[in-house]
Amino acid sequence: MWLGPEEVLLAGALWVTERANPFFLLQRRRGHGKGGGLTGLLVGTLDVVLDSSARVAPYRILHQTQDSQVYWAVACGSSRKEITKHWEWLENNLLQTLSIFDNEEDITTFVRGKIHGIIAEENKNQQPQSEEDPGKFKEAELKMRKQFGMPEVEKLVNYYSCSYWKGRVPRQGWLYLTVNHLCFYSFLLGKEVTLVIQWVDVTQLEKNATLLFPECIKVSTRDSELYFSMFLNINETFKLMEQLANIAMRQLLDNESFLQDKSLPKPRKPLKNISALKRDLDARAKNECYRATFRLPKDECLDGHTDCTLWTPFNKMHIPGQMFVSNNYICFASKAEEACHLIIPLREVTIVEKADSSSVLPSPLSISTKSKMTFFFANLRDRDFLVQRISDFLQRTPSKKPCGSDREWKWNLGDPGCEEVPELPSSSPLAVSPPSALNNRPVNFCAGEVPTASQGLLKLFRRNSEELLGPKGAKEKMKEESWNIHFFEYGRGMCMYRTAKTRELVQKGIPENLRGELWLLFSGAWNEMVTHPGYYGDLVEKSMGKYNLATEEIERDLHRSMPEHPAFQNELGIAALRRVLTAYAFRNPTIGYCQAMNIVTSVLLLYCNEEEAFWLLVALCERMLPDYYNTRVVGALVDQGIFEELTREYLPQLSEKMQELGVISTISLSWFLTLFLSVMPFESAVVIVDCFFYEGIKFILQVSLAILDANMEKLLQCCDEGEAMTILGRYLDNVVNRQSVSPPIPHLHALLTSGDDPPLEIDIFDLIKTSYEKFSNLKADDIEQMRFKQRLKVIQSLEDTAKKSVVRAVSSDIGFSIEELEELYVVFKAKYLMSCYWGNNRAAAARRDQSLPYLEQYRIDMEQFKELFISLTPWSCGAHTPVLAGRLFRLLDENRDSLINFKEFVTGMSGMYHGDLTDKLKILYKLHLPPALNPEETESALEATSYFTEDVTTEVSPFVSELDFCLPCESQETPEDKGRRNDNGQEKEEKGTSPQDYRYYLRMWAKEKESKKETIKDLPKMSQEQFIELCKTLYNMFSEDPVEQELYHAIATVASLLLRIGEVGKKFSSRPVRKSEDCRTNSTQDPVSEEESPTSEQSQNSAVEQQPQADHEDKTCGDPQPEKTQQENQTLGDGSGEGQGSPLQLLSDDETKDDMSMSSYSMVSTGSLQCEDIADDTVLVGCEGGSAAARYGSTIDTDWSISFEQILASMLTETALVNYFEKKVNILQKIKEQKKVERQFSSSSDYELSSVSG
């Protein structure tokens, strides 16, 4: 590549000059290429340790003038070929011009200007985003690509100097972290270490310190453990590795490939050696943390944050913390964890103004909202810039809410963010129980059906309870009053100050009248509902009346959702639940519907209207409990792993016992998926939900630990899992809420676990208090860290399960061993994944459907199959191998969707590796018949092929069975069969879904199974063209074999013999054309009679008997005439067929007989046939009169055909061919080589780095 001219002081140090002229020097780095000795080893080591650019570009061109001591580097190259190209350009274009100049300074100025011009011209075509990356980083990316053979699309994120511990010896080198791979390279005194690991193969990432390994990062895969240490900044490196591994796990989980964010703002200051991709990942990490902390929508992006103080009117203090500004929110988090959190939606902001600075309060800023609250920030570093950013975002924020006046009116009474409610008198029922958003505007989402639940179902189905008037009612009133006081002091709604006081109130239980409102606020669901007006209604309209797997499952579970509650014992509650679940299934088809969602949603509907319940469900499934409700409940399994880890840490005695009994995996899924709603009385579980919406998963984990701790003694004495489950079940059944004003709902689970002893009741608030006292030191950040670690383990475990399932499913029908199948599966899956992140428009990279069986989830297209076939096939055919791969792909792709799954792939490979001689020849034979063989691949033109397919007479043309091969299910039928099949089809339609259908389907299934048993007699005959293609394949296959001459001689003998057999067989089947025409016209009405079929069998048998004679006659024939053959082939290409009629119909009887009795191709004799004689345009054919060239070369010998039995019998006569096809090849060795070749590239100086396609 051309370089911007840079000064070089010591041109001879560590470089060897190879060419020179008066103005330029071409130099090679010492130690590069052959030889080099000790100097070369030292220079190579120095280059790696110091990260010298000479490692990636060991050639360079310097510009010099005779009297100057200064040299200018103008070009560098990774190979001799590349640098020679630059050198020749300089000699041809500049030398003559430079000799004209008198002044040496002018020469240097001219050369520098010329080189800058070339670089500018080259950069015009480059993508603009690459310009963001600093020069040093681009150089490192080039080194990475050259060293590890990565394609252009594989982006480097960052690189670090570190040591890799190989045994007890540290190898100093460079660690390259790309989007999809972890790579390491080291070269020390001739010892080279190259590592390439895909992130999807990483099973564990740990940062630890041991005596042997000082503070190091441990990377585990299924096969190895790697240790890296001596980082300059180990925390930054580990954080980035975690991010990249997480992206890879996300790809395995839901096939989301990594897409770089091109909209990132450019840095205000140029960042040294930080790529745009690294900035993107850093921004993603900050965004995720920001959204999780303040429960903001998934598309919210952090713009920036700054230190400041916030004036808190409730305690008259300035609290230090950080202000965060994003597109739609201003948030504040205090440095003391629970001092204060604040969220201000920009849609509520009315005034942002700079107040006067003072020594006490420098750079103050006040923000006022529609709810007449004012927030006072101070100690802002760059206040003017901050105000400008906020005003920019405010201009983009809609001034009026798009949801209309009704919703604004509603939240004037209780809107989180629109009105400060404490001004209302506390006695007012509106202050206590704000109406729901749809109270006065009920929306009937499905007209003509049950009315929509426009408020919480609990209000509609509350039975007249005496509790409201008794002590419990008084307690409820006191709770409501406490919250009203809190609203007065801290604000109400979205802009409420959230402090330790808020958490205390939540722990004591939220009043039923406020529960829906506060759940919406604490979960962040309110933000999404306000910013998406009408979204739920539209979804309901779209989804109603549509049916799929999710809606079927929803219908099945509707009446199992809290059946003991009166709200779900009637159609109103059931219809509301159906609408919410169906709407969510249509919003998020990846999740669709999962069991346990119905239980959680039914509880949400008790306290919220439908739209609010829908957005709460969105917050639960997509933010608060990520991946919990997908098909493999990955999120719940991840948190179960965290629970096991916390049990080991906090309850070590119990942990071992629980592992022994296997209880944790059983209990935790039911606890976590339903938030205890299915295992605890409703009145108690709903208090758990209160705290969950405020604290997140942290609270569920600490309550779970408290439950185990309370039952430790009993659990330690358990003998089996059932006993432990009974103990925990009884305990949970007796967790009571004595403060609940709702009448108790019978808990079905309690009836099953009740024992003889009177139950000991546990107050839910005591349980919550205990959980905070003993386990409150759990931190949200620590849990996220543990989630990452467990996610790696869980997803890799699921992938291993999938692999075992697939291997078990295919192993019974395949010749490969379990170990070989597992290795093949790994290679197959890796090829699929490469298409996801390296292939742009491949069909296999389309989003895979997780609901499909494991066997169908990974599928590859033809290009990927070709790459695998070339590296794994035992039949290497040189340049012909991709053609053979394409044919095998078409043969295996039975459903014609241009994709094949793992079973289809290993079926094809197994035939080549583990079949006997007959099986292997059968595969080869099929590869030269339709559908594997494309018409375009044969030597004749498409017109000739279409002529064959039009001629469907059994006697005249042998290609009926080929059509059968193309259409295996339908075309192998007589008209009577076809009639029967149509009747069956009609019968099936008439039957509909009647119970008797299963017998019909069983019969159909049995027929399908029977049809799969294929014998060699079922194989169709092969035409002359197809046989010629088969001969070509065999010649290519033998080209690099140790005994290739012996094989060539054997195949020449067999080919000539078979051509003669075809000629002899033709005599028995040939008839006058007119008779054949009559047959053709009658064939549609009168099928071939059974008496005629033995004739063709006799002709085949006679042909076999004629083998010795044919062989003898063959030896008398002359040598080929290549020119003639080529000319005839060209005529064939132009030939046959004006119009729909058969070319034979255009000839007279005599001409037809003449054409049938002799070959229209020249003949190759057995004795003279060598490897080089078989060119692409050479055709092997037997003939009776060697001198006779056909007068009608444009027609094909349509009556010539050969059967598989004849090919097999002829092959068996040649020992060399039998030995070749019976030779055993170890596929594991091939896989090992394939993995090496995929990454390793020649380091010789003449190697030209090419892009790897995957």
Side-chain angles (χ1 to χ4, degrees), residues 194-213:
T194 305
L195 296 172
V196 178
I197 297 164
Q198 290 191 51
W199 289 117
V200 289
D201 293 333
V202 172
T203 56
Q204 195 174 9
L205 268 181
E206 280 185 307
K207 184 177 66 175
N208 50 27
T210 61
L211 289 172
L212 183 60
F213 303 115

Side-chain angles (χ1 to χ4, degrees), residues 659-792:
Q659 289 294 335
E660 183 189 320
L661 297 174
V663 174
I664 287 187
S665 57
T666 311
I667 58 173
S668 53
L669 278 181
S670 59
W671 294 1
F672 296 165
L673 277 169
T674 64
L675 305 175
F676 288 94
L677 288 164
S678 63
V679 294
M680 204 181 267
F682 169 73
E683 303 82 14
S684 307
V686 82
V687 181
I688 301 269
V689 177
D690 290 343
C691 297
F692 166 74
F693 276 124
Y694 189 79
E695 294 273 18
I697 193 63
K698 164 182 174 289
F699 177 75
I700 299 293
L701 290 167
Q702 70 185 38
V703 166
S704 302
L705 287 170
I707 292 168
L708 290 187
D709 184 48
N711 291 278
M712 187 185 293
E713 290 180 13
K714 291 180 182 177
L715 289 171
L716 286 172
Q717 294 169 6
C718 287
C719 301
D720 57 33
E721 182 187 0
E723 190 179 348
M725 292 297 294
T726 306
I727 288 168
L728 290 169
R730 282 181 184 167
Y731 179 86
L732 290 169
D733 289 336
N734 294 300
V735 175
V736 296
N737 180 0
R738 298 191 179 96
Q739 300 176 12
S740 173
V741 291
S742 297
I745 297 167
H747 185 45
L748 296 182
H749 190 261
L751 303 175
L752 303 174
T753 57
S754 58
D756 300 330
D757 303 328
L760 178 67
E761 291 188 342
I762 304 97
D763 190 273
I764 181 65
F765 298 104
D766 292 341
L767 178 63
I768 290 172
K769 186 179 177 185
T770 306
S771 76
Y772 274 102
E773 286 172 354
K774 291 190 175 182
F775 308 107
S776 62
N777 54 350
L778 285 179
K779 299 285 185 292
D781 292 344
D782 296 339
I783 289 171
E784 280 307 311
Q785 183 69 32
M786 292 162 83
R787 267 182 169 173
F788 161 75
K789 182 180 170 185
Q790 293 297 331
R791 193 178 291 119
L792 276 182

Side-chain angles (χ1 to χ4, degrees), residues 278-295:
K278 175 73 167 64
R279 290 200 303 117
D280 179 14
L281 287 169
D282 289 345
R284 285 175 191 233
K286 287 177 182 174
N287 287 337
E288 283 170 16
C289 183
Y290 170 62
R291 289 193 292 259
T293 304
F294 298 104
R295 306 268 170 85

Side-chain angles (χ1 to χ4, degrees), residues 935-989:
E936 293 83 0
E937 289 180 334
T938 54
E939 289 186 335
S940 69
L942 188 61
E943 291 90 341
T945 310
S946 63
Y947 157 64
F948 293 146
T949 53
E950 283 165 9
D951 189 356
V952 295
T953 312
T954 307
E955 295 178 9
V956 176
S957 171
F959 293 94
V960 182
S961 48
E962 279 177 36
L963 287 174
D964 293 351
F965 196 78
C966 282
L967 305 164
C969 294
E970 292 158 348
S971 55
Q972 295 178 3
E973 297 173 330
T974 62
E976 289 89 344
D977 290 336
K978 197 163 187 178
R980 274 200 299 274
R981 181 169 63 82
N982 291 339
D983 293 342
N984 284 339
Q986 290 168 5
E987 185 186 341
K988 180 180 171 184
E989 285 175 16

Side-chain angles (χ1 to χ4, degrees), residues 871-900:
S871 58
L872 297 178
T873 179
W875 299 339
S876 181
C877 302
H880 193 63
T881 310
V883 177
L884 204 63
R887 291 177 188 169
L888 182 59
F889 182 87
R890 287 190 289 274
L891 184 67
L892 297 173
D893 182 21
E894 292 178 1
N895 60 357
R896 304 283 176 269
D897 63 351
S898 300
L899 295 171
I900 63 169

